[in-house]
C-alpha cells in the first residue's frame, strides 16, 4: 500500500501500554481494495486525528458483491479474520473495524476509547434503525427502550481476542453478507451475554457510531472552534465515526465538506491547497493537453462573445483541441466566422453540426469519448454555450485543484441560479442544501463535494480511461444528459466538486431568445443585462460618473460616450435590414396627426420592435447622465419619438433649423465621419456653435423645445446615421 507513505504509522505490538497512552492501544482496521475518493477522504480524517490505520486488501480484486445494491461484503470478514489471527492474543489492544469508502472520523482515538470503556462490553457494534438484510430477524433482537435497535456491521469495536473470536467463525463466501454473519452471532443469546464468550452490545445511542441511513434528520453540523462535528439531536450525542451507509452517500459527502476540519468559519477551507498541481513549475510545452468540448444545444445569446472568451483563455492554444457540437442552424454563421479566423490557433478544431441530428446525450458522449480514446488527452473540459467564463485563468485553476471532476461555480447574474445542486430530492432532482446559498454567494469559499453539476466542468482523462471508462454516461433512462453523467459518477464513487474559490463567470439566460431579428442580442437588455452592457455600452461610459468623462462643446450641449462600436453597427444593420426608410416626407402615418413639420429620412424603433428595449436603455443609461448634467431634473425616461435617421446626399442630406418636441434630446452618432461620410454635424443657432466632428458611439444631450434651436448640417458624401430620442415630450 503506497498511497500514504508519510502518514500511515505501522502498528508495533507492545506487551504493556501505559493507560494514558490511549492512541497506542487502538488499531483501526479497514478493508479497501481501491484508493477511491471516499477512501482518500477516510484516510485524511484518520490522519488528522492520528489514528493508526491498517488497510486490508488494497489492490485485491473486489469479490464482495455490489453492497450498495444487494447483500455482500463477505470478503471484508475474510480479510479481517486473517488480520486478526496475528492479533488474537493482544488482550489490551482495542480493534476498530470500519468501512472506509463511505466513512469519516469526527473525533479522535482517545474519545473512542473512553466511550468504548464506558460502554462496558467487550465488543460494540454500530446500530441503526433499519434492519438489513433479513427483516425476519427483527423479533429476535432484544428490544430497546430508546435508541437504534439493529446491528450495522460498518463499525465494530472490541478487544482483539474477542473480535478474533467473532471473525474466526467465518467460513462463508466472499459475496455472502457480512452484516448477516455478525447479526446471527449477535442474536445468539449465548454468545451475546456470556462473559466467557463475547459480551457484545450495540451502540444504540450513537455515542461512537453514527449510521446515516434512516437518520439524516437526526444529525446536524456542529461548528466549533477548529473542528466541525456531527451532533445527533435524537440522543444528544457527538458520534465519532460517521457512516454514509445505504442511500446516504451524498449526505455524507455534504458532511465531509466540513467534518472534521475541511471547512469552518474561522479558517475557511483547510484542504483546498492539498495535493495541488503547480502549473507555474512547468514549461509551457509541458502543459497538459486539454480537449475542450463546446455544446451549443439551443439558440444562445452572445455566442460570438462566448467564442472570444475561449480564445482569450490563458492557456497555451497548441495544448487545446476544440470539439464543438452545434445543434442550431442559426449559429452556423457564428461558428463559421470564428473557425475561419481561428482554426489554426488551436491544436485542432472539429465541429459537428445540426445536420448530424445528434441528441444532446449522444453529442456529449462523443466529446467525452474523443478524450477517452486519445491517450494524450490529459483533461476533458466541457463547456456549454451559456457559460460566460470571465476568468481567463479558469482552465489552469481547475487543473491545479487536481480533482477527478471539478467545475467552476458560475451563477446567473444576481440570482441564486447556478451550475450545481447541493443536494438531491428523493426522485433525483434539485433540493436545496443548507449551505447552497452561502456557496453561491461565496460566503463560504472552498472546494465542495456535490451530487450534481452541469454546464462547465473539467474531468481528468485518466478518470475517463479508468473509473469512467464506459462510453455512454450521458444517456441513462429518461434523465437529462448531465443528470445521467452525475448519477453515473456518483455510482462509480467518483466525487464531483465545485469550486467557488475564484470568480469564474456567469450563466447567461437562453430563455426568451428570439432569433427572428437580424442582430438578436440587441434585444437581450432585459434577459441578460450584464452581457448586454458589456457588448453594447461604451467602454468609457462609467467614467462619466467616476471621472467626469464628458464634454460640453456648446452651452448646455453635453457630449458623452454611450454605445460601443458593435451597438452602433448592429443598430444600423438592423435598420438597413428592415429597409423601409420614411423618405423624409411631411405626411407620416406613424405619428399622431399624420404630419411632420421637420421630417427626416428615418425608421422608428417601434417599427423594428425595439421600442421597449430602447426605452429601457434610456432609463438605464441615459437617465443617470441627465441627472448628472441637469441636476435637480428627474427625467421620466419616457419618449414616443425614438428613431434612426439616415443622411445622404442622394436622399436627405441635412435638416433645417428646428426645435425638438422634447424636454431634452439625445442624438447618438452611429458611424464615423471621414471613413463613412463627409460633412454632417450639428449647429446650435442661439450660441452660434457647431459641432462638426461627431464621434461614433457618442451622444449629444441638449434641451429640446426652448433654447436650443438647431439644424443638421449637410452630409456631403457617404451615409451618416444617428439615433435620436425626444425624451419627456
Ligand atoms: C497528530 O500528531 C501531530 C504530530 O505528532 C500533532 O501535531 C497533532 O496535534 C496530532 N493531532 C491531533 C488531532 O491530535
Ligand atoms: C461485559 O464485560 C464487562 C467488562 O468489560 C463487564 O463489566 C460486564 O459485566 C460484562 N457484561 C456481561 C453481560 O457479561
Ligand atoms: C433526428 O432525430 C430524431 C430523433 O432521433 C428523429 O425523430 C428525426 O426524424 C431526425 N431528423 C432527421 C432530419 O433526421
Ligand atoms: C420575435 O420577434 C419577431 C420580430 O420582431 C416578432 O414578430 C415575434 O412576435 C417575436 N416572437 C416572440 C415569441 O416574442
Ligand atoms: C476610452 O478612453 C481612453 C482614453 O482615456 C481611450 O484610450 C480609449 O480608446 C477609450 N475607449 C474607447 C472604446 O473609445
Ligand atoms: C459665429 O461664429 C463664427 C466663428 O465661429 C464667426 O465668424 C461669426 O461671426 C459668428 N456669428 C455671429 C452672428 O456671431
Ligand atoms: C466619397 O466617398 C467615397 C468612398 O466612400 C470616396 O471614394 C470618394 O472619393 C468620396 N468623394 C468625395 C468628393 O469626397
Amino acid at each position: 500500500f503506497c498511497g500514504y507513505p508519510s502518514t500511515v504509522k505501522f502498528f508495533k505490538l507492545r506487551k504493556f501500554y501505559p493507560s494514558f497512552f490511549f492512541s497506542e492501544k487502538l488499531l483501526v482496521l479497514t478493508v479497501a481494495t481501491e484508493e477511491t475518493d471516499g477512501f482518500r477522504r477516510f484516510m485524511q480524517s484518520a490522519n488528522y486525528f492520528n489514528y493508526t490505520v491498517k488497510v486490508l486488501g488494497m489492490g485485491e480484486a473486489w469479490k464482495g458483491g455490489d453492497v450498495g445494491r444487494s447483500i455482500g461484503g463477505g470478503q471484508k470478514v475474510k480479510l479481517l479474520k486473517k488480520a486478526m489471527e496475528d492479533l488474537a492474543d493482544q488482550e489490551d489492544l482495542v480493534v476498530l473495524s470500519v468501512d472506509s469508502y463511505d466513512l469519516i472520523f469526527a473525533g479522535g482515538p482517545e474519545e473512542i476509547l473512553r466511550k468504548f470503556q464506558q460502554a462496558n462490553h467487550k465488543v460494540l457494534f454500530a446500530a441503526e434503525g433499519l434492519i438489513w438484510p433479513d427483516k425476519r430477524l427483527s423479533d429476535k433482537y432484544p428490544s430497546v427502550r430508546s435508541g437504534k435497535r439493529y446491528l450495522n456491521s460498518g463499525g465494530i469495536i472490541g478487544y482483539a481476542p474477542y473480535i478474533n473470536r467473532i471473525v474466526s467463525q467465518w467460513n462463508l463466501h466472499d459475496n455472502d453478507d457480512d452484516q448477516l454473519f455478525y447479526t446471527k452471532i449477535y442474536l445468539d443469546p449465548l454468545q451475546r451475554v456470556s462473559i466467557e464468550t463475547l459480551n457484545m452490545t450495540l451502540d444504540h445511542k450513537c455515542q461512537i457510531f453514527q449510521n446515516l441511513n434512516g437518520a439524516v434528520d437526526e444529525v446536524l453540523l456542529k461548528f466549533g472552534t477548529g473542528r466541525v462535528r456531527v451532533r445527533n439531536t435524537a440522543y444528544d450525542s457527538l458520534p465519532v465515526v460517521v457512516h454514509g451507509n445505504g442511500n446516504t452517500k451524498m449526505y455524507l459527502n455534504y458532511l465531509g465538506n466540513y467534518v472534521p476540519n475541511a471547512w469552518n468559519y474561522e479558517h475557511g477551507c483547510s484542504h483546498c491547497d492539498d495535493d495541488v498541481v503547480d502549473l507555474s513549475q512547468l514549461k509551457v510545452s509541458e502543459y497538459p493537453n486539454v480537449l475542450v468540448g463546446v455544446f451549443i444545444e439551443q439558440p444562445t445569446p452572445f455566442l460570438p462573445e462566448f467564442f472570444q472568451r475561449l480564445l482569450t483563455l490563458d492557456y497555451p492554444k497548441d495544448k487545446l483541441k476544440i470539439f464543438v457540437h452545434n445543434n442550431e442552424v442559426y449559429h452556423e454563421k457564428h461558428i463559421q466566422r470564428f473557425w475561419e479566423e481561428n482554426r489554426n490557433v488551436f491544436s485542432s478544431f472539429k465541429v459537428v453540426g445540426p445536420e448530424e441530428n445528434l441528441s444532446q446525450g449522444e453529442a456529449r458522449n462523443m466529446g467525452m469519448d474523443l478524450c477517452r480514446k486519445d491517450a494524450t488527452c490529459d483533461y476533458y473540459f466541457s463547456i456549454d454555450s451559456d457559460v460566460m467564463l470571465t476568468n481567463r485563468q479558469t482552465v489552469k485553476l481547475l487543473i491545479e485543484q487536481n480533482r477527478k471532476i471539478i467545475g467552476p461555480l458560475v451563477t446567473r447574474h444576481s440570482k441564486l441560479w447556478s451550475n450545481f445542486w447541493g443536494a438531491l430530492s428523493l426522485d433525483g432532482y434539485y433540493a436545496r442544501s443548507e449551505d447552497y446559498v452561502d456557496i453561491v454567494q461565496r460566503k463560504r469559499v472552498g472546494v465542495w463535494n456535490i451530487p450534481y453539476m452541469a454546464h462547465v466542468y473539467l474531468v481528468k482523462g485518466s478518470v475517463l480511461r479508468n473509473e469512467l471508462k464506459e462510453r455512454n454516461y450521458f444517456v441513462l433512462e429518461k434523465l437529462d444528459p448531465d443528470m445521467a453523467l452525475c448519477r453515473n459518477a456518483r455510482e462509480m464513487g467518483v466525487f464531483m466538486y465545485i469550486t467557488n474559490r475564484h470568480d469564474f463567470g456567469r450563466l447567461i439566460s437562453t430563455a426568451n431568445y428570439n432569433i427572428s431579428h437580424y442582430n438578436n442580442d440587441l434585444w437581450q437588455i432585459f434577459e441578460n443585462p450584464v452581457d448586454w452592457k458589456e457588448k453594447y455600452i461604451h467602454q468609457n461610459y462609467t467614467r462619466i460618473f467616476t471621472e467626469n468623462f464628458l464634454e460640453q462643446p456648446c452651452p448646455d450641449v453635453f457630449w458623452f460616450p454611450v454605445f460601443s462600436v458593435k451597438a452602433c453597427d448592429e443598430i444600423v444593420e438592423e435598420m438597413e435590414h428592415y429597409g423601409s426608410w420614411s423618405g423624409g416626407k411631411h405626411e407620416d402615418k406613424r405619428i399622431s396627426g399624420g404630419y411632420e413639420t421637420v421630417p427626416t429620412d428615418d425608421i422608428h424603433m417601434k417599427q423594428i420592435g425595439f421600442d421597449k428595449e430602447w426605452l429601457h436603455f434610456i432609463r438605464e443609461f441615459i437617465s443617470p447622465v441627465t441627472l448628472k448634467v441637469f441636476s435637480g431634473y428627474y427625467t421620466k425616461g419616457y419618449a414616443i419619438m425614438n428613431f434612426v435617421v439616415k443622411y445622404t446626399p442622394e436622399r436627405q442630406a441635412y435638416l433645417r433649423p428646428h426645435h425638438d418636441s422634447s424636454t431634452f434630446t439625445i442624438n447618438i452618432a452611429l458611424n464615423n465621419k471621414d471613413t463613412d461620410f463627409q460633412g454632417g454635424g450639428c449647429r446650435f443657432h442661439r450660441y452660434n456653435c457647431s459641432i462638426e466632428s461627431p464621434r461614433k458611439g457618442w451622444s449629444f444631450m441638449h434641451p429640446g423645445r426652448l433654447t436650443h434651436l438647431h439644424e443638421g448640417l449637410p452630409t456631403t458624401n457617404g451615409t451618416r446615421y444617428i439615433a435620436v430620442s425626444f425624451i419627456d415630450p
Side-chain angles (χ1 to χ4, degrees):
F1 171 63
C2 52
Y4 297 85
S6 59
T7 46
V8 172
K9 287 191 280 326
F10 286 94
F11 185 69
K12 280 202 221 96
L13 296 179
R14 279 194 235 153
K15 191 73 187 162
F16 300 105
Y17 304 92
S19 59
F20 57 86
F21 205 30
F22 282 134
S23 62
E24 290 294 312
K25 277 175 64 182
L26 182 74
L27 172 64
V28 178
L29 295 179
T30 190
V31 171
T33 51
E34 287 171 78
E35 277 191 46
T36 62
D37 285 338
F39 176 76
R40 285 166 203 273
R41 175 180 61 189
F42 168 82
M43 287 307 295
Q44 204 164 41
S45 73
N47 291 332
Y48 172 70
F49 291 112
N50 297 325
Y51 280 96
T52 306
V53 179
K54 190 167 175 191
V55 180
L56 311 173
M58 185 55 77
E60 288 184 16
W62 175 247
K63 295 178 223 138
D66 182 356
V67 274
R69 276 185 262 215
S70 65
I71 59 169
Q75 190 177 359
K76 289 193 281 189
V77 194
K78 185 181 80 180
L79 289 162
L80 189 57
K81 175 180 175 178
K82 185 151 180 300
M84 289 311 298
E85 281 165 8
D86 299 335
L87 304 169
D89 59 351
Q90 304 298 312
E91 285 179 17
D92 290 332
L93 174 66
V94 176
V95 168
L96 172 67
S97 163
V98 284
D99 288 352
S100 50
Y101 294 165
D102 52 3
L103 195 136
I104 309 172
F105 287 110
E110 295 82 0
E111 185 182 339
I112 291 205
L113 283 173
R114 180 169 46 76
K115 288 179 169 176
F116 173 60
Q117 270 145 14
Q118 281 164 359
N120 200 28
H121 279 76
K122 301 290 193 239
V123 175
L124 189 66
F125 284 97
E128 63 174 315
L130 306 168
I131 183 165
W132 174 263
D134 187 351
K135 292 199 170 46
R136 292 167 304 177
L137 295 175
S138 175
D139 295 343
K140 299 216 167 66
Y141 269 93
S143 59
V144 287
R145 251 183 300 141
S146 110
K148 309 285 182 201
R149 189 173 175 196
Y150 305 111
L151 179 147
N152 177 282
S153 62
I156 309 169
I157 184 168
Y159 290 100
Y162 292 80
I163 298 282
N164 181 53
R165 261 188 251 166
I166 294 177
V167 294
S168 62
Q169 300 179 34
W170 176 261
N171 56 8
L172 301 171
H173 297 111
D174 281 354
N175 60 356
D176 281 321
D177 196 64
D178 58 335
Q179 185 150 307
L180 187 62
F181 163 75
Y182 291 116
T183 301
K184 284 181 172 164
I185 293 173
Y186 174 72
L187 292 182
D188 174 356
L190 282 176
Q191 299 213 55
R192 182 165 68 242
V193 294
S194 153
I195 190 146
E196 297 80 49
T197 54
L198 291 173
N199 187 333
M200 301 179 280
T201 190
L202 305 188
D203 181 23
H204 295 291
K205 295 195 174 173
C206 306
Q207 299 297 326
I208 295 179
F209 300 108
Q210 176 68 59
N211 287 306
L212 292 172
N213 200 12
V216 165
D217 294 342
E218 286 168 20
V219 302
L220 290 177
L221 286 173
K222 175 179 176 291
F223 290 92
T225 47
R227 278 177 214 165
V228 186
R229 296 208 59 151
V230 163
R231 174 190 288 284
N232 183 306
T233 56
Y235 312 118
D236 198 25
S237 59
L238 295 173
V240 188
V241 174
V242 188
H243 183 202
N245 58 323
N247 248 335
T248 61
K249 311 266 178 284
M250 266 183 262
Y251 193 66
L252 184 76
N253 291 348
Y254 158 73
L255 297 176
N257 284 329
Y258 300 93
V259 179
N261 71 327
W263 188 95
N264 74 16
Y265 286 99
E266 284 86 41
H267 60 63
C269 180
S270 37
H271 299 307
C272 283
D273 291 319
D274 294 358
D275 301 323
V276 291
V277 172
D278 187 358
L279 285 177
S280 69
Q281 299 298 308
L282 297 182
K283 290 195 215 100
V284 168
S285 62
E286 296 164 348
Y287 268 52
N289 292 308
V290 181
L291 175 70
V292 182
V294 173
F295 295 91
I296 307 164
E297 303 298 329
Q298 70 286 307
T300 308
F302 306 106
L303 194 73
E305 286 70 25
F306 168 90
F307 274 111
Q308 283 309 311
R309 291 190 195 278
L310 216 53
L311 198 61
T312 52
L313 273 179
D314 184 15
Y315 203 84
K317 298 292 176 297
D318 60 335
K319 297 287 177 185
L320 296 180
K321 291 184 177 172
I322 311 287
F323 165 81
V324 179
H325 175 244
N326 172 30
N327 199 32
E328 295 296 330
V329 174
Y330 166 66
H331 283 308
E332 287 186 312
K333 57 177 185 259
H334 302 125
I335 296 166
Q336 180 71 18
R337 209 170 301 149
F338 185 77
W339 181 79
E340 277 164 12
E341 287 165 13
N342 301 294
R343 67 183 135 170
N344 296 324
V345 170
F346 300 99
S347 164
S348 74
F349 198 106
K350 176 183 162 77
V351 180
V352 172
E355 69 284 353
E356 301 288 330
N357 197 24
L358 292 186
S359 74
Q360 206 184 119
E362 289 165 338
R364 290 179 191 273
N365 280 334
M366 182 186 271
M368 188 172 260
D369 215 29
L370 283 175
C371 179
R372 182 181 286 119
K373 284 188 306 199
D374 174 0
T376 68
C377 178
D378 300 305
Y379 291 91
Y380 179 58
F381 182 59
S382 175
I383 180 166
D384 295 356
S385 54
D386 58 355
V387 176
M388 280 294 172
L389 282 184
T390 53
N391 189 331
R392 296 179 53 219
Q393 307 301 320
T394 300
V395 171
K396 279 188 185 172
L397 289 167
L398 294 181
I399 290 174
E400 290 185 325
Q401 205 64 65
N402 193 19
R403 308 285 167 133
K404 287 176 183 168
I405 304 183
I406 185 167
L409 174 73
V410 286
T411 57
R412 184 78 57 76
H413 173 68
S414 78
K415 298 239 161 63
L416 289 174
W417 181 280
S418 80
N419 63 328
F420 84 99
W421 296 347
L424 298 190
S425 62
L426 286 177
D427 55 1
Y429 284 86
Y430 173 82
R432 182 172 283 189
S433 59
E434 167 275 329
D435 54 5
Y436 179 78
V437 174
D438 278 1
I439 293 175
V440 168
Q441 297 180 339
R442 298 189 66 214
K443 289 179 185 149
R444 297 184 192 181
V445 171
V447 179
W448 309 95
N449 186 339
I450 42 90
Y452 170 85
M453 67 166 87
H455 298 278
V456 54
Y457 43 82
L458 183 81
V459 187
K460 285 187 181 177
S462 58
V463 171
L464 297 180
R465 294 182 281 273
N466 290 293
E467 291 96 324
L468 300 181
K469 62 175 174 292
E470 304 298 324
R471 308 228 139 159
N472 204 18
Y473 287 116
F474 289 98
V475 179
L476 180 64
E477 292 163 15
K478 290 203 163 114
L479 293 178
D480 287 349
D482 284 313
M483 290 177 70
L485 173 72
C486 293
R487 196 166 104 187
N488 280 311
R490 291 196 305 271
E491 286 179 0
M492 298 311 291
V494 178
F495 289 169
M496 291 168 282
Y497 293 91
I498 200 98
T499 167
N500 64 349
R501 297 184 73 194
H502 305 268
D503 233 324
F504 291 103
R506 59 186 172 262
L507 278 173
I508 61 171
S509 166
T510 55
N512 308 317
Y513 189 43
N514 188 337
I515 54 169
S516 56
H517 313 285
Y518 189 73
N519 286 301
N520 297 294
D521 293 352
L522 276 173
W523 273 260
Q524 287 290 304
I525 189 168
F526 295 108
E527 199 69 34
N528 288 297
V530 176
D531 295 275
W532 194 93
K533 181 175 177 189
E534 245 182 59
K535 182 167 183 171
Y536 293 122
I537 293 300
H538 196 284
Q539 192 191 352
N540 290 330
Y541 170 79
T542 50
R543 292 171 66 193
I544 297 171
F545 309 99
T546 56
E547 299 165 35
N548 211 25
F549 193 81
L550 82 180
E551 296 174 27
Q552 194 177 172
C554 303
D556 283 330
V557 176
F558 297 94
W559 199 17
F560 55 93
V562 64
F563 270 153
S564 69
V565 168
K566 274 204 183 92
C568 298
D569 293 348
E570 291 192 12
I571 290 171
V572 169
E573 280 171 14
E574 203 63 44
M575 292 306 179
E576 285 298 352
H577 179 72
Y578 179 75
S580 303
W581 297 94
S582 65
K585 296 190 279 289
H586 288 292
E587 289 73 29
D588 192 341
K589 288 204 288 277
R590 299 169 301 174
I591 57 178
S592 63
Y595 187 87
E596 173 60 63
T597 32
V598 195
T600 45
D601 192 10
D602 58 28
I603 294 173
H604 290 186
M605 297 298 178
K606 198 180 170 70
Q607 288 176 277
I608 61 161
F610 196 59
D611 42 337
K612 282 197 299 297
E613 288 76 8
W614 184 260
L615 288 180
H616 192 68
F617 156 73
I618 288 175
R619 282 189 294 269
E620 290 291 304
F621 297 101
I622 298 298
S623 297
V625 182
T626 312
L627 194 59
K628 181 178 166 68
V629 300
F630 300 123
S631 61
Y633 177 71
Y634 293 91
T635 169
K636 293 186 275 294
Y638 182 64
I640 299 168
M641 294 295 285
N642 308 294
F643 51 97
V644 171
V645 182
K646 172 171 167 167
Y647 290 116
T648 156
E650 291 79 36
R651 292 165 65 95
Q652 182 177 18
Y654 67 95
L655 193 61
R656 68 174 173 82
H658 62 283
H659 284 288
D660 294 337
S661 52
S662 71
T663 302
F664 70 94
T665 295
I666 55 164
N667 173 337
I668 310 171
L670 297 178
N671 58 355
N672 278 317
K673 188 171 164 115
D674 297 334
T675 48
D676 302 316
F677 61 88
Q678 270 100 43
C682 196
R683 178 172 149 76
F684 294 90
H685 286 250
R686 184 180 170 90
Y687 310 102
N688 187 19
C689 176
S690 299
I691 306 150
E692 285 169 2
S693 294
R695 301 172 189 156
K696 185 172 179 176
W698 284 56
S699 179
F700 297 123
M701 179 183 286
H702 60 78
R705 62 167 68 82
L706 188 59
T707 47
H708 284 63
L709 182 76
H710 60 286
E711 67 180 311
L713 299 172
T715 297
T716 53
N717 189 14
T719 306
R720 174 182 177 220
Y721 298 96
I722 55 174
V724 177
S725 271
F726 296 159
I727 300 177
D728 299 341

